[in-house]
Amino acid sequence: MLISPKNSDDVKMWNDFRGGNHAAFTQIYQNYVNLLYNYSTSITPDRELIKDCLHDLFVELWKNHQNLGETTSVRFYLMASIKRKLVRHLETQQRHTQHHEAYYLENPDFIGSHEHRLVAFEEERLLSDNLSESFRYLTKRQREAVSLKFFQDMDTDQISNAMNINPQSVYNLIFGALKILKEHISQDKLAFA
């Protein structure tokens, strides 16, 4: 298989990046972030999710650059990586939705009439939307800490290790995030009342 000169340059840049060259990493980011963003819009219309996944992808690439393998196509490697990341997030969202729907179907006595179930489901969806919207006020580190704490069920020490920060910083991130979420969710709830 012949490798085009551009592909050859990309492979060299990839190998430089794997060796710890930050300039090569920056060049890969600049060369591919827009392409990956546009490609991602064919997978989901959720632009915030796309931005978060792209950010996470490039952070993980840099953190794990020494363990990455060789590739003959940086473009296809990155496209496959962002697709996997987006699909995992979308599948998780779908599981959460299915879980809530199944709960309402399995517990009709608790909820009451069909109309009451619809109202309760809509209220929960609005609260979930408000919570998701409120997450945009958090810093990336706060979102990561909250996600690890409440969605991954990690304790403070595990979060500290995962984020490579001390336990007090974990407390500070989570406390600050919860304060921000409380303020914005309360404002949103007042707007709906």
Side-chain angles (χ1 to χ4, degrees):
M1 178 173 135
L2 293 173
I3 298 178
S4 69
K6 173 163 180 14
N7 218 15
S8 175
D9 291 344
D10 278 358
V11 169
K12 181 188 178 327
M13 191 169 22
W14 179 260
N15 288 330
D16 290 347
F17 151 63
R18 288 174 52 227
N21 183 324
H22 197 270
F25 171 72
T26 301
Q27 192 61 50
I28 289 170
Y29 176 85
Q30 291 172 347
N31 288 356
Y32 288 101
V33 71
N34 289 332
L35 171 98
L36 294 174
Y37 182 85
N38 292 333
Y39 170 68
S40 297
T41 60
S42 70
I43 299 169
T44 179
D46 188 341
R47 298 191 186 291
E48 290 304 313
L49 175 63
I50 292 170
K51 290 176 189 175
D52 286 345
C53 286
L54 281 170
H55 179 267
D56 291 348
L57 173 65
F58 281 100
V59 167
E60 289 168 13
L61 284 172
W62 181 252
K63 281 170 98 174
N64 300 313
H65 67 273
Q66 294 173 324
N67 301 324
L68 296 174
E70 293 183 11
T71 184
T72 57
S73 174
V74 175
R75 176 183 177 177
F76 291 122
Y77 180 93
L78 294 174
M79 289 173 74
S81 298
I82 194 63
K83 181 178 181 180
R84 274 193 307 274
K85 189 169 279 301
L86 285 166
V87 167
R88 274 196 303 265
H89 278 278
L90 293 169
E91 287 173 347
T92 300
Q93 287 175 350
Q94 185 177 9
R95 278 195 304 273
H96 285 294
T97 301
Q98 288 171 344
H99 170 75
H100 290 300
E101 289 172 352
Y103 175 80
Y104 289 125
L105 291 174
E106 291 170 6
N107 297 292
D109 295 335
F110 178 74
I111 299 300
S113 71
H114 177 69
E115 291 154 354
H116 194 225
R117 283 194 301 256
L118 288 174
V119 169
F121 184 76
E122 183 63 19
E123 286 174 352
E124 185 173 327
R125 190 186 64 74
L126 282 173
L127 182 60
S128 178
D129 289 349
N130 290 341
L131 182 60
S132 295
E133 178 67 19
S134 297
F135 264 72
R136 72 184 174 100
Y137 295 102
L138 302 180
T139 66
K140 181 68 182 152
R141 298 291 276 175
Q142 285 174 322
R143 281 196 304 268
E144 183 180 4
V146 167
S147 176
L148 293 173
K149 175 75 174 170
F150 297 105
F151 300 117
Q152 304 296 325
D153 291 326
M154 288 187 175
D155 64 28
T156 302
D157 291 333
Q158 291 171 323
I159 296 170
S160 174
N161 289 335
M163 294 181 69
N164 201 20
I165 58 177
N166 65 47
Q168 183 60 48
S169 295
V170 173
Y171 286 118
N172 294 345
L173 283 171
I174 292 174
F175 179 78
L178 293 177
K179 184 177 177 187
I180 291 168
L181 290 174
K182 182 178 177 187
E183 289 170 7
H184 290 284
I185 291 174
S186 296
Q187 289 173 0
D188 289 341
K189 291 291 279 183
L190 291 173
F192 288 112

